Amino acid sequence: MAVTAVAAAGTVFALSAVNAASADTTSDAALVATLDQVFADSRLAGSTTGMLVVDGATGAVVYSHNADQRVIPASNEKLMTSAAALEVLGAGYKFHTVARYSGKKSGTTVTGNLYLHGQGDPTMTYAQVDAVAAAVAKTGVKKFTGTLNADDTWFDHVPLGLDWSWQDETYFDNAPVSALTVAADSNFNTGALSIADKPGTAAGKAGVLAVTPANSVVTIVNHTVTGKQGSADTVTATRAHGTNTVTVSGSVPLKGAAHSSLVAVPDPTKLAIGVFRDALKRHGVTITGVTTTGTTPATGTTLLTDHASITLAQLLPSFLKLSNNGHAELLTKAMGRARTPGSAGSWSTGLAASTAALKALGVDTSKISMGDGSGLSRRDWLTTRQIGTLLNAAQARPWFATWYAALPIAGDPNPLVGGTLRSRMAGTPAAENLHGKTGTLTGVNALSGYVKDAAGRTLVFSSVSNSAPASVADILDRAAVALASSGATQSATLMQRRLNSVEVKPHVVTRKGEEVECSWVPGSC
């Protein structure tokens, strides 16, 4: 796949010298005038761009610009999904993966079937699957005479969300959703493979590939070649539509550092149960029968092991900071299962549960439409006022501190702290200050969250732009930096005149010409 990460030349934004004076009507008037100037940028002509700013302590509106216009939020939708999940499931919620058997046990042999029942755990890495297999072996069972059954019935079998783009099928951030899945890496990218490429022994030799999770389900075709020392790494991994074959091609520089590609698999359930079967074999457990899919019987089975995931609170940083689409959709279906326990979790039941939770938080749900949990769907519509309403109400919830900490932090270089904001607003008053969620699709830029002004006042804000002909993320950043630099008594003229105070550098990441979240192109944040 062709990947381009572009860091454009900086734009200059007006900031003022600040003091410890409390925000007052004069400073807010200066802020309003400055934000009006920001949104007068000619690049926004013809777009729909909205912003709402409220005082985090009082809820009073500080600034409103098209705040009631419906817009596509992209990954700002994850604010809605994560808050709803915390309400519906709770911060202590854990996913479970359960192994049970049917039939009779005699000595080390079970005359019957083995079932692996998944409940949507996105943290089931190769190591975690191995731990489940080890736990089965620890019970003393060495042989099952029946079949190995993959039970993914906790959720329905609709793998992809509404309006997800077909050309994105093989990207790891568009992986199919399944209740039984395995993650490719420690960032918990589910339903995908991580393929690391290393150079061969000499230029012209084939490159060396390492696949995680290691498995016997997906066929890897290695067309890589070792290039000269110092040459570019041009390796890409692609999967043909409807197949389980991944072709890796391109040049690996001699003595170069390892490089990884992530690619989605078409059937996460098949991959997960294949990895589990291989793990059982490593631990000395054999299964006579074939691997298949099947529902664990409601009665007449015996528990072997119940593996619990980390809590939802512990999952939030990888979910929000890295804008993980799979986590959003798994949580959506988990909410559906929790609210309708007799039925498989689905997008319809999950979005209904999410909508009800948001309504209870004060969001006017008649103003929003939810097509999925991640924001990939262009059937997601909301207003910046409703995002602002959620952000403001969240401050009073018991889970707020955990949620706030899990949001990306502007300008922090640590990937699991700064997340999708690690390369944005560095060196400005917003750096190490603003906690917010990005949203990025071609034609969509969003930034919403919390920032403290120069007087220490918390400002809650939401900004979303649709239909600009090119990325306008830097304009939203400029508006956010204006919030961080406000709060001191100053005139609008003074605030707008100091144009050389801080440079706001655009950071645009594209993939095959389409703008995406930087975390969806490894190494681009």
Side-chain angles (χ1 to χ4, degrees):
M1 71 186 73
V3 173
T4 305
V6 181
T11 57
V12 176
F13 178 57
L15 294 176
S16 66
V18 295
N19 56 41
S22 298
D24 57 19
T25 56
T26 300
S27 64
D28 280 353
L31 174 60
V32 168
T34 301
L35 290 174
D36 283 343
Q37 184 188 49
V38 170
F39 290 118
D41 193 304
S42 61
R43 288 187 291 149
L44 294 176
S47 71
T48 300
T49 301
M51 184 174 196
L52 181 78
V53 182
V54 302
D55 185 312
T58 68
V61 174
V62 176
Y63 182 78
S64 179
H65 176 79
N66 293 333
D68 294 308
Q69 292 290 316
R70 288 185 179 88
V71 285
I72 297 171
S75 287
N76 262 209
E77 186 75 9
K78 294 182 177 75
L79 291 169
M80 299 293 194
T81 299
S82 57
L86 286 162
E87 288 290 291
V88 175
L89 303 173
Y93 178 81
K94 296 181 179 181
F95 298 88
H96 289 261
T97 303
V98 181
R100 306 183 73 93
Y101 72 83
S102 61
K104 295 183 179 180
K105 179 176 180 289
S106 177
T108 61
T109 299
V110 167
T111 304
N113 303 324
L114 175 61
Y115 298 86
L116 186 67
H117 184 199
Q119 296 181 8
D121 185 358
T123 70
M124 286 295 291
T125 60
Y126 181 84
Q128 296 299 317
V129 173
D130 188 77
V132 174
V136 171
K138 192 174 181 179
T139 66
V141 179
K142 297 299 181 183
K143 182 179 180 181
F144 294 88
T145 64
T147 58
L148 173 61
N149 293 268
D151 184 351
D152 60 2
T153 58
W154 195 253
F155 296 159
D156 68 5
H157 291 142
V158 179
L160 302 174
L162 285 172
D163 290 345
W164 288 11
S165 186
W166 67 267
Q167 66 262 36
D168 294 341
E169 175 190 351
T170 63
Y171 295 140
F172 73 96
D173 45 277
N174 284 250
V177 177
S178 170
L180 184 61
T181 190
V182 60
D185 52 29
S186 59
N187 289 332
F188 308 133
N189 287 304
T190 63
L193 295 177
S194 175
I195 304 171
D197 57 83
K198 297 180 180 180
T201 55
K205 299 286 187 180
V208 179
L209 303 180
V211 179
T212 305
N215 69 92
S216 53
V217 174
V218 179
T219 299
I220 306 295
V221 178
N222 184 2
H223 285 169
T224 62
V225 64
T226 303
K228 294 180 180 179
Q229 186 172 346
S231 61
D233 190 316
T234 62
V235 173
T236 61
T238 59
R239 178 175 57 78
H241 172 70
T243 74
N244 248 339
T245 299
V246 176
T247 301
V248 188
S249 56
S251 177
V252 188
L254 185 66
K255 297 184 180 180
H259 163 270
S260 293
S261 302
L262 286 160
V263 61
V265 298
D267 190 340
T269 298
K270 187 175 181 180
L271 175 63
I273 200 67
V275 171
F276 182 57
R277 184 163 191 145
D278 292 344
L280 288 169
K281 185 177 180 180
R282 285 195 305 275
H283 288 283
V285 179
T286 61
I287 300 170
T288 303
V290 298
T291 301
T292 186
T293 57
T295 304
T296 306
T299 59
T301 62
T302 303
L303 177 67
L304 287 165
T305 186
D306 183 341
H307 177 85
S309 73
I310 59 176
T311 65
L312 174 54
Q314 293 169 313
L315 178 67
L316 284 177
S318 61
F319 172 24
L320 294 175
K321 290 182 185 293
L322 301 180
S323 204
N324 191 300
N325 295 324
H327 297 179
E329 308 307 351
L330 289 166
L331 286 169
T332 296
K333 291 196 175 188
M335 283 190 276
R337 181 79 194 204
R339 283 295 171 89
T340 56
S343 303
S346 66
W347 268 293
S348 60
T349 58
L351 293 174
S354 183
T355 300
L358 293 170
K359 186 174 183 179
L361 285 167
V363 174
D364 184 348
T365 53
S366 70
K367 306 293 187 185
I368 69 173
S369 174
M370 300 176 72
D372 65 7
S374 65
L376 281 175
S377 174
R378 291 184 184 260
R379 296 197 196 191
D380 295 319
W381 292 89
L382 42 69
T383 70
T384 54
R385 189 178 303 280
Q386 299 315 314
I387 298 178
T389 297
L390 170 66
L391 292 168
N392 198 45
Q395 295 178 100
R397 303 303 297 146
W399 42 259
F400 176 71
T402 298
W403 192 59
Y404 177 78
L407 293 170
I409 300 174
D412 192 302
N414 186 328
L416 281 177
V417 179
T420 56
L421 285 174
R422 65 190 295 254
S423 297
R424 292 170 59 173
M425 293 171 276
T428 77
E432 305 289 351
N433 171 5
L434 184 151
H435 289 228
K437 182 71 196 76
T438 56
T440 311
L441 293 171
T442 296
V444 181
N445 293 114
L447 178 63
S448 302
Y450 307 87
V451 65
K452 292 188 183 300
D453 69 10
R457 174 177 60 160
T458 296
L459 294 174
V460 177
F461 72 95
S462 175
S463 56
V464 182
S465 181
N466 283 187
S467 303
S471 176
V472 293
D474 63 305
I475 295 178
L476 304 187
D477 287 355
R478 290 174 66 200
V481 172
L483 300 181
S485 62
S486 69
T489 302
Q490 57 193 305
S491 69
T493 301
L494 178 62
M495 190 172 185
Q496 294 170 31
R497 189 174 64 219
R498 299 189 175 183
L499 299 177
N500 296 322
S501 299
V502 169
E503 194 175 37
V504 178
K505 296 180 179 180
H507 182 78
V508 182
V509 175
T510 61
R511 181 173 61 191
K512 287 191 175 179
E514 299 293 324
E515 191 181 357
V516 294
E517 292 273 38
C518 63
S519 55
W520 301 350
V521 180
S524 294
C525 283

